[in-house]
Amino acid sequence: MTIRQIIFEATQKLEKAGIPSARLDAEVLLAFLLRCERLAFIKNPDDKISEKQLAAFDRLIERRTGGEPVAYMTGRKAFWSFALEVNPAVLIPRPDTEVIVEEALAVLRQESWRRPRILDIGTGSGAIALALACEVPGASITATDISEAALQTAQKNAAALNVEPIVFLKGDLFEPVEGRFDLIVSNPPYIGADEYQSLPPGVKNFEPEEALRAGQTGLEFYEKLIYQAHGYLTENGWLLLEIGARQKQEVRAIYEAHQDFYERIDVREDYAGLPRVIKGRRR
Ligand code: SAM
Ligand code: GLN
């Protein structure tokens, strides 16, 4: 069979299984297996692959029809300007999360701190902290997570990227943290109990529950973060939080309940036009 036929058949199998990005996934998985770029298939669609490679590819496609995310199979996910190692101990970084990075950079430009102190709570793969480490030379960055396995993954990603050194700390929210920060960012778990049950199987069955689940309502982490962050922000320091598409009113209300602590509360949308980041500045 030629590459063209192999991709065609795999795409059909994935489509039948209800996988939305069937063709792309088939190409990405074949490129991963053959250790080449997807572009090679466009250039040489009539090339053939060995029986052994074909059998291995069939197994990957089989796993994908069961909903397993492509990123966990390849162990890589593109984020910002780099690729991160990912594994089932970490949430696969989402393109939407790049919006919190953009918003953090906008705040940093506006405040023009010379060597900003930045804290990323619940760093997972390290996505947000590493993007900021790439973009803000001289920043002093701390990243935390409650999961030891996630922190190890983030540390590996940091070592591979050769950016500003990041201090990694393990613990519950602010518990391992000392001192004050000009900017605190977090993409906390924000899925409530009912919503968790209705997540797509590819997310629910494969991504870590502790990266997604936030109590009954999905707001648990916002209540704690907004209340506690005040004690860890410098004067005029900013708290930036990623939110779920339907959480704008509720999370704004939590900031507003602490109006003695925060001013200039504002919401930024993602590129799908959905509310995605909410920020406030310490009074
Ligand atoms: N920042 C990464 C990103 O944007 O791709 C991961 C975000 S994921 C939604 C939330 C992360 O918070 C997970 O890595 C999880 O292990 C971590 N986490 C959950 N509960 C925590 C807690 N109480 N304290 C610190 N981190 C926590
Ligand atoms: N964006 C993720 C999802 O929709 C949720 C991430 C989070 O809980 N912070 O699955």
Side-chain angles (χ1 to χ4, degrees):
M1 274 209 292
T2 64
I3 296 233
R4 191 202 315 269
Q5 288 168 316
I6 291 165
I7 289 174
F8 179 77
E9 285 189 9
T11 302
Q12 282 194 319
K13 262 191 217 160
L14 293 175
E15 274 172 354
K16 249 207 203 134
I19 304 292
S21 49
R23 181 173 177 111
L24 176 66
D25 290 1
E27 290 184 1
V28 168
L29 289 171
L30 189 59
F32 164 68
L33 190 78
L34 301 179
R35 296 200 177 84
C36 68
E37 300 284 333
R38 273 168 57 221
L39 193 61
F41 308 148
I42 297 167
K43 287 200 198 138
N44 310 305
D46 296 316
D47 280 5
K48 302 211 157 104
I49 68 175
S50 72
E51 285 298 313
K52 217 173 131 192
Q53 284 171 324
L54 187 57
F57 182 60
D58 284 342
R59 283 195 294 275
L60 288 176
I61 294 300
E62 197 57 42
R63 281 165 67 186
R64 183 69 189 118
T65 59
E68 186 169 347
V70 171
Y72 287 151
M73 287 190 248
T74 63
R76 310 291 288 170
K77 178 70 186 180
F79 183 81
W80 200 249
S81 58
F82 40 76
L84 293 171
E85 178 186 316
V86 294
N87 57 56
V90 298
L91 186 92
I92 299 165
R94 308 289 202 263
D96 296 336
T97 298
E98 292 174 352
V99 173
I100 196 172
V101 176
E102 289 176 356
E103 199 56 31
L105 294 176
V107 162
L108 289 168
R109 267 195 301 278
Q110 176 194 316
E111 297 288 352
S112 53
W113 294 301
R114 268 209 316 131
R115 296 177 68 82
R117 300 200 54 198
I118 301 173
L119 172 65
D120 176 19
I121 298 263
T123 198
S125 62
I128 301 171
L130 284 164
L132 293 174
C134 281
E135 301 297 330
V136 194
S140 139
I141 302 181
T142 301
T144 77
D145 209 287
I146 202 162
S147 151
E148 177 67 38
L151 273 183
Q152 278 175 12
T153 308
Q155 265 166 316
K156 258 172 112 178
N157 280 323
L161 281 172
N162 189 21
V163 288
E164 294 289 321
I166 296 177
V167 176
F168 289 99
L169 302 172
K170 178 175 183 272
D172 179 15
L173 300 184
F174 293 97
E175 177 252 323
V177 175
E178 266 173 44
R180 289 186 185 262
F181 299 85
D182 301 307
L183 179 65
I184 299 177
V185 292
S186 182
N187 172 18
Y190 55 63
I191 311 286
D194 293 344
E195 196 187 347
Y196 188 76
Q197 292 317 319
S198 60
L199 283 179
V203 177
K204 194 170 72 180
N205 299 339
F206 294 92
E207 300 206 64
E209 183 170 352
E210 80 180 327
L212 295 162
R213 270 292 299 267
Q216 201 57 31
T217 60
L219 298 171
E220 184 173 280
F221 285 90
Y222 298 114
E223 277 153 8
K224 291 184 183 163
L225 283 166
I226 293 168
Y227 178 67
Q228 294 175 20
H230 189 258
Y232 295 89
L233 284 167
T234 53
E235 204 175 320
N236 295 341
W238 286 88
L239 172 64
L240 269 63
L241 300 171
E242 179 170 325
I243 56 171
R246 287 188 298 273
Q247 293 175 317
K248 172 175 142 177
Q249 310 297 352
E250 288 101 325
V251 181
R252 186 186 261 280
I254 301 171
Y255 267 104
E256 284 170 354
H258 298 291
Q259 255 177 8
D260 298 350
F261 287 0
Y262 297 99
E263 59 187 3
R264 295 171 64 181
I265 300 157
D266 203 6
V267 176
R268 155 95 199 256
E269 293 179 348
D270 63 23
Y271 292 96
L274 301 169
R276 187 57 63 195
V277 175
I278 183 158
K279 67 180 179 186
R281 189 166 83 163
R282 195 196 125 169
R283 283 184 188 275

